Amino acid sequence: MVKFGKFVGPGTIITVAYIDPDNFQTAASSGAQFKYKLLFMVLISNLIAIYLQASQPMALVAKLGFVTGMDLAQINRAQLPSWLNYGLWFMAEAAIVIGTTITINILISKIPLTAGCALAIADTLFILLFYRPDGSLRGLRAFELFISVFVLCVFICFCIELSLITDTTARHVMDGFLPSRESFVSNGLYESCAL
């Protein structure tokens, strides 16, 4: 059980990818317009994600870690030229900063993109404070706990929202898992792709 507990923190941080503002906004607008009719697309997209995560490239990365004892970033650093490593690092950081900037702008539209970019850079540097060169995980575990509290709050709010739903039967929800015409035409197709 203790061994399993070591993976709860990283797992909780990964769940943030599913509860980010973009996903919330898309799910809310899709639900308001189509009710449960797009649940089929949610099911299909999750099945595709499971397949892709269990596919050959992911298996190769896992095998690489088992054999070498290093993760993909460490292998890249050891095997690739420095100019390519810096390019990959820059693109990854740019993606993080751009994504965070847009998210901040979506959440708080009064914050301009330049200020959002500054906040995103500060956020990235703040997270780097938790990593220690000596391999100590104390700071990282504190960060995981901090994020876990927020994920728990979102979960509690979601449960409260579910309890407030009226005039809906389980049949309505289950019918949403069947393919419907609305999922494949016009605005339904657009929302399905966004989900």
Side-chain angles (χ1 to χ4, degrees):
M1 199 64 163
V2 173
K3 189 173 184 179
F4 171 74
K6 293 179 182 178
F7 296 102
V8 172
T12 304
I13 291 175
I14 290 170
T15 63
V16 172
Y18 290 98
I19 58 172
D20 69 351
D22 295 339
N23 287 346
F24 268 178
Q25 186 270 336
T26 303
S29 66
S30 299
Q33 187 173 359
F34 293 99
K35 303 291 182 207
Y36 303 105
K37 293 181 176 138
L38 298 183
L39 284 176
F40 172 73
M41 297 308 282
V42 172
L43 175 66
I44 293 299
S45 66
N46 279 299
L47 291 174
I48 291 171
I50 290 168
Y51 171 74
L52 290 176
Q53 289 176 357
S55 68
Q56 194 62 24
M58 290 298 194
L60 288 176
V61 171
K63 289 176 186 175
L64 179 72
F66 293 140
V67 171
T68 64
M70 294 189 280
D71 60 36
L72 190 58
Q74 291 169 331
I75 287 289
N76 284 348
R77 185 174 183 192
Q79 300 294 325
L80 298 177
S82 61
W83 64 268
L84 186 55
N85 280 322
Y86 283 119
L88 292 171
W89 172 79
F90 177 78
M91 286 189 290
E93 290 300 324
I96 290 169
V97 169
I98 290 168
T100 305
T101 302
I102 292 170
T103 301
I104 289 170
N105 188 259
I106 289 171
L107 285 174
I108 309 165
S109 58
K110 294 183 184 209
I111 295 179
L113 288 175
T114 51
C117 185
L119 285 171
I121 291 169
D123 172 54
T124 303
L125 293 174
F126 175 73
I127 290 171
L128 287 175
L129 289 176
F130 290 103
Y131 291 95
R132 299 280 178 245
D134 64 356
S136 170
L137 295 177
R138 175 175 270 163
L140 190 58
R141 295 292 181 221
F143 177 72
E144 289 172 354
L145 181 65
F146 180 73
I147 296 297
S148 297
V149 168
F150 280 113
V151 170
L152 182 63
C153 289
V154 169
F155 175 73
I156 290 169
C157 291
F158 185 68
C159 289
I160 291 169
E161 288 175 354
L162 283 177
S163 70
L164 298 175
I165 295 175
T166 58
D167 301 328
T168 300
T169 64
R171 175 76 179 169
H172 286 113
V173 177
M174 296 311 287
D175 284 346
F177 288 106
L178 298 173
S180 63
R181 182 178 184 279
E182 288 87 352
S183 300
F184 300 101
V185 295
S186 181
N187 215 16
L189 183 61
Y190 172 75
E191 292 288 340
S192 294
C193 290
L195 288 171

